[in-house]
């Protein structure tokens, strides 16, 4: 997402607030009203699946290039609007202006719950697909936007597919935040009435308590409020209560004393991939150092893992520094650093 200052996001949001009709919307987007209507009439998507962390498959609904370009422009305007109207609980899918002293992202979200004694995690299942046309329509008709009905239907057609937010459209994340604003307000009050803290990162809802009573039955109470009261489906396998002696995690980040860190399995994965990289480099050198695309891809994967570790831990963290040193050593080694070549140099013999 483009980096902008607070004043720029505010201007985008205020521009959208001045919009009422399809003609207003087309002028703001720099496209004729007729072409806007044509795009909305037949939105095109390509669908495919990508592997999920747990071994399943995630459906991706990728808008056709002209529609995606339009959605990206809409996303900037909607993000500017959400900047003006954002929920205090929301930490995911929000912009962080360059001059923002209190950025909201996955780490600052987890930091909000440091020092808690008890924790409840709840995930909404298929969050985008639960935001249907009616929820989007209600969001666009209600304050602060209050678009005219014709403009609302145009935007609904441009940003939804098969009756709900598509998993892949640039506008789906911010529209999910806008559609969930009233729910965020309700859940914030629900938590405060009990002396708890409530935050949300996309579809991941977290409730924590430092000193006030929070028991396992409260998890069931929260699920009941979400499903029976707010009409959202909670993932049956992603709901957890953590007590004093339990490891507490928020969006897969671990709360450890007064700091946020990565789970042990993340470090194990990095350790294994770095060992594999060393073995692969050994084979690569013994095979004459020929150009190999797969090794570049593997390097890119490790760089991604290291980048996230630096983002969470900080580049001066001793654990991160050791991992980075091992990565650099593996890539900077010369052929003279390796012994005699045998079949056991291949990673799959280890």
């Amino acid at each position: 997402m483009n980096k902008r200052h607070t004043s720029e996001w505010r201007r985008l949001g205020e521009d959208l607030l001045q919009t009422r009709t399809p003609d207003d919307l087309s002028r703001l987007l720099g496209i004729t009203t007729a072409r806007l209507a044509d795009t909305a009439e037949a939105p095109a998507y390509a669908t495919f699946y990508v592997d999920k962390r747990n071994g399943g498959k995630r459906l991706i609904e990728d808008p056709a290039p002209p529609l995606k370009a339009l959605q990206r422009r809409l996303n900037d305007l909607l993000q500017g609007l959400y900047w003006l109207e954002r929920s205090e609980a929301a930490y995911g899918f929000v912009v962080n202006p360059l001059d923002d002293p209190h950025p909201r992202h996955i780490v600052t979200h987890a930091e909000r719950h440091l020092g808690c004694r008890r924790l409840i995690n709840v995930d909404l299942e298929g969050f985008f697909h639960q935001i249907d046309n009616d929820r989007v329509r209600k969001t666009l008709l209600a304050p602060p936007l209050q678009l005219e009905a014709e403009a609302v239907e145009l935007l609904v057609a441009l940003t939804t597919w098969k009756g709900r937010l598509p998993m892949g459209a640039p506008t789906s994340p911010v529209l999910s935040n806008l559609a969930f604003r009233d729910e965020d307000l309700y859940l914030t009050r629900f938590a405060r009435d009990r002396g708890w803290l409530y935050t949300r990162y996309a579809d991941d809802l977290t409730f924590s308590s430092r000193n006030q009573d929070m028991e396992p039955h409260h998890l069931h109470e929260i699920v009941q409020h979400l499903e029976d009261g707010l009409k959202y489906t909670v993932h049956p396998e992603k709901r957890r209560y953590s007590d004093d002696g339990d490891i507490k995690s928020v969006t897969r980040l671990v709360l450890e004393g007064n700091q946020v860190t990565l789970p042990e399995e993340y470090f194990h994965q990095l350790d294994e991939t770095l060992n594999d990289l060393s073995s692969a480099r050994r084979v690569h050198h013994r095979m004459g150092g020929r150009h190999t695309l797969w090794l570049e891809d593997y390097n890119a994967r490790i760089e991604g893992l290291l980048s996230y570790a630096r983002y969470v831990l900080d580049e001066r963290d001793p654990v991160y520094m050791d991992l980075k040193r091992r990565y650099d050593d593996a890539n900077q080694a010369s052929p003279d650093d390796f012994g005699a070549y045998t079949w056991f140099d291949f990673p799959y013999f280890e």
Side-chain angles (χ1 to χ4, degrees), residues 282-283 285-286 334-342 345:
R282 187 182 305 119
V283 173
H285 280 300
R286 291 305 174 188
S334 70
D336 295 335
D337 295 328
F338 302 108
Y341 171 68
T342 74
D345 285 320

Side-chain angles (χ1 to χ4, degrees), residues 20-36:
R20 289 291 177 269
T21 69
D23 287 342
D24 294 337
L25 189 60
S26 65
R27 281 193 293 271
L28 195 55
L29 293 170
I31 186 174
T32 66
T33 306
R35 187 173 176 190
L36 197 62

Side-chain angles (χ1 to χ4, degrees), residues 27-226:
R27 281 193 293 271
L28 195 55
L29 293 170
I31 186 174
T32 66
T33 306
R35 187 173 176 190
L36 197 62
D38 287 343
T39 306
E41 186 176 352
Y45 288 81
T47 60
F48 56 92
Y49 289 88
V50 296
D51 293 332
K52 295 172 69 172
R53 184 182 290 103
N54 62 8
K57 297 287 185 180
R58 185 188 304 281
L59 172 66
I60 301 297
E61 298 154 320
D62 187 33
L67 177 60
K68 183 183 285 189
L70 194 56
Q71 288 174 342
R72 283 176 174 151
R73 279 177 273 169
L74 273 171
N75 178 60
D76 284 350
L77 295 164
L78 290 165
Q79 286 286 8
L81 174 66
Y82 192 65
W83 169 255
L84 298 173
E85 304 290 335
R86 59 186 173 162
S87 157
E88 66 176 88
Y91 278 74
F93 305 145
V94 295
V95 295
N96 288 305
L98 292 169
D99 54 345
D100 188 354
H102 304 292
R104 298 189 187 189
H105 47 68
I106 196 168
V107 178
T108 57
H109 174 243
E111 287 174 346
R112 290 291 309 277
H113 298 275
L114 284 171
C116 70
R117 295 180 57 202
R118 296 175 178 87
L119 191 76
I120 288 175
N121 304 102
V122 173
D123 274 28
L124 301 178
E125 187 171 22
F127 185 40
F128 286 177
H129 288 181
Q130 291 199 58
I131 310 292
D132 60 21
N133 285 7
D134 287 340
R135 293 186 192 268
V136 175
R137 187 176 291 110
K138 177 184 174 183
T139 299
L140 299 175
L141 284 169
L145 201 49
Q146 295 180 294
L147 292 171
E148 291 184 4
E150 192 178 353
V152 167
E153 295 308 318
L154 194 58
L155 278 178
V156 169
L158 287 167
T159 58
T160 64
W161 195 50
K162 295 186 176 180
R164 73 295 191 270
L165 292 181
M167 187 69 179
T171 44
S172 290
V174 67
L175 280 172
S176 72
N177 272 343
L178 284 163
F180 209 78
R181 277 191 318 139
D182 288 346
E183 287 83 346
D184 275 339
L185 181 59
Y186 169 83
L187 293 169
T188 297
R189 289 172 176 168
F190 171 86
R192 282 180 179 166
D193 287 345
R194 291 155 179 77
W196 305 343
L197 170 66
Y198 160 71
T199 62
R200 179 177 61 86
Y201 190 90
D203 59 355
D204 193 316
L205 283 59
T206 304
F207 300 81
S208 69
S209 171
R210 293 190 175 212
N211 303 307
Q212 299 302 313
D213 178 52
M214 178 183 276
E215 302 297 336
H217 70 84
H218 287 124
L219 170 58
H220 302 294
E221 183 182 353
I222 289 168
V223 171
Q224 187 174 17
H225 276 285
L226 287 165

Side-chain angles (χ1 to χ4, degrees), residues 53 240 247 249 252-254 261-273 301 305:
R53 184 182 290 103
R240 182 184 180 193
I247 295 174
S249 64
R252 292 185 288 276
L253 296 179
V254 176
T261 187
L262 292 159
E264 283 298 320
E265 55 265 28
Y266 194 92
F267 293 117
H268 290 325
Q269 182 184 9
L270 254 174
D271 184 64
E272 290 177 0
T273 54
R301 177 187 173 194
L305 291 169

